[in-house]
């Protein structure tokens, strides 16, 4: 069963889990508004902080999925286990791509 729960940011997140989301890397609005300069924050700083948060958040979800896959395998459904583990791999591939972009934004001189 999927339940809405509170996060320290404003977007809906329709599932339950037991990890801590921290404070969204400090001054992140997570989509509250596109113009971060309106509140006095540097837009690139906001973007980098949000991307760092999302990479960590995605890692947590990939780990949760791997745990679910293990339970499926233990219940004898190896086919479902394999499919969920492929999804975990997709999360990891996407996160690698995001991490590469993040690194290039953090260090633009290495582009």
């Amino acid at each position: 069963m999927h339940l809405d729960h509170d996060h320290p940011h404003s977007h809906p997140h329709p599932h339950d889990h037991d990890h801590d989301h921290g404070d969204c890397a400090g001054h992140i609005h997570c989509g509250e508004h596109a113009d971060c300069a309106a509140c006095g924050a540097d837009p690139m700083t906001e973007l980098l902080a949000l991307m760092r948060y999302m990479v960590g958040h995605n890692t947590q979800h990939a780990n949760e999925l791997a745990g679910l896959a293990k339970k499926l395998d233990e219940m004898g459904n190896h086919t479902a286990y394999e499919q969920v583990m492929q999804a975990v791999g997709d999360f990891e591939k996407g996160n690698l791509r995001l991490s590469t972009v993040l690194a290039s934004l953090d260090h633009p001189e290495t582009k």
Side-chain angles (χ1 to χ4, degrees):
M1 177 176 186
H2 296 291
L3 303 172
D4 287 332
H5 61 280
D6 292 328
H7 283 276
H9 47 272
S10 65
H11 68 273
H13 213 73
H15 62 278
D16 58 343
H17 48 262
D18 60 359
H19 59 263
D20 179 27
H21 291 274
D23 67 353
C24 269
H27 184 76
I28 292 183
H29 300 284
C30 297
E32 285 179 13
H33 54 80
D35 183 13
C36 292
C39 64
D42 172 53
M44 183 56 82
T45 300
E46 290 274 331
L47 182 124
L48 291 172
L50 180 57
M51 287 187 68
R52 281 186 207 98
Y53 165 78
M54 291 303 297
V55 168
H57 190 79
N58 290 345
T59 298
Q60 291 173 333
H61 284 293
N63 291 337
E64 291 171 342
L65 285 171
L68 292 173
K70 181 181 177 192
K71 289 179 184 179
L72 286 165
D73 199 36
E74 289 168 353
M75 293 185 332
N77 195 336
H78 193 70
T79 300
Y81 162 81
E82 289 175 341
Q83 291 297 308
V84 174
M85 288 308 295
Q86 285 183 10
V88 169
D90 292 341
F91 263 86
E92 291 170 344
K93 286 177 194 172
N95 245 11
L96 180 60
R97 193 174 302 254
L98 290 173
S99 294
T100 300
V101 171
L102 183 58
S104 72
L105 292 172
D106 266 338
H107 306 287
E109 67 278 356
T110 61
K111 284 196 235 180

